[in-house]
Amino acid sequence: DVTGRHRAAQELDRRARTDDLTKLLNRKEVLERITKLSVQTARTGTKLAVLFCDFDRFKEINDIYGHAAGDEVLRVMAERIRGCLRTTDDLGARIGGDEMLVVLHGVHNLDNAVNVAEKLRVSAMEPIPITGGAVNTTLSIGVTLAVPGETTDALIARADAAMYKAKKTRRNRVVTMSAGKAGVG
């Protein structure tokens, strides 16, 4: 059956590109797409922002409530990330454990990206229902804009550095980092 084989091939393709738990893009896929978007934005003059999101004290959720609760937190946060995306050109990805990326294509400036990050940070604080109760969590988010000609690795590293600055300074906050300087939101 040709239709059955076609559906099976589509399902394999989807699984190769997405994270099974969250249904967000996986690390490999989002890095490839960032590379393509960086080339596109360089040609069109638009801006590309990356938000590196990390749950604060996620290990405690797994330790106290169990891994099933941790998985539910990840699934719910994936939905909240999808709810914060502005257009179909924006991307959400789980890049490992409790680390997620949001890629905003066509932002006007860093402030636009910070506004989305703050919306996401606030939505993360809403209780997440689990069996037998609810879990509260927060996000530390690093935000940066792509610089023409830089590598995807350099862009992600800068967003990651901003996120770690957010964690070190007090968690549950947004920190920006431009090429050469950092700011706190």
Side-chain angles (χ1 to χ4, degrees), residues 98-112:
D98 64 331
E99 296 177 331
M100 299 189 182
L101 279 184
V102 175
V103 180
L104 305 174
H105 180 253
V107 294
H108 297 289
N109 53 42
L110 195 57
D111 289 340
N112 291 149

Side-chain angles (χ1 to χ4, degrees), residues 111-167:
D111 289 340
N112 291 149
V114 168
N115 289 338
V116 173
E118 281 294 339
K119 181 179 173 185
L120 183 56
R121 186 188 65 77
V122 169
S123 78
M125 292 189 300
E126 296 174 21
I128 297 173
I130 60 168
T131 303
V135 172
N136 293 308
T137 189
T138 58
L139 288 177
S140 293
I141 305 173
V143 181
T144 194
L145 292 178
V147 175
E150 85 178 316
T151 65
T152 298
D153 288 343
L155 173 64
I156 300 300
R158 192 168 55 254
D160 186 35
M163 181 274 298
Y164 273 104
K165 184 170 176 127
K167 283 199 169 292

Side-chain angles (χ1 to χ4, degrees), residues 15 17 20 32 42 47 51 57-58 69 76 97 101 103 126 128 132 158 166 176:
R15 287 183 179 199
R17 296 175 188 277
D20 274 345
E32 288 175 7
K47 295 190 184 335
L51 287 57
R57 297 181 173 93
F58 187 75
V76 169
L101 279 184
V103 180
E126 296 174 21
I128 297 173
R158 192 168 55 254
T176 62

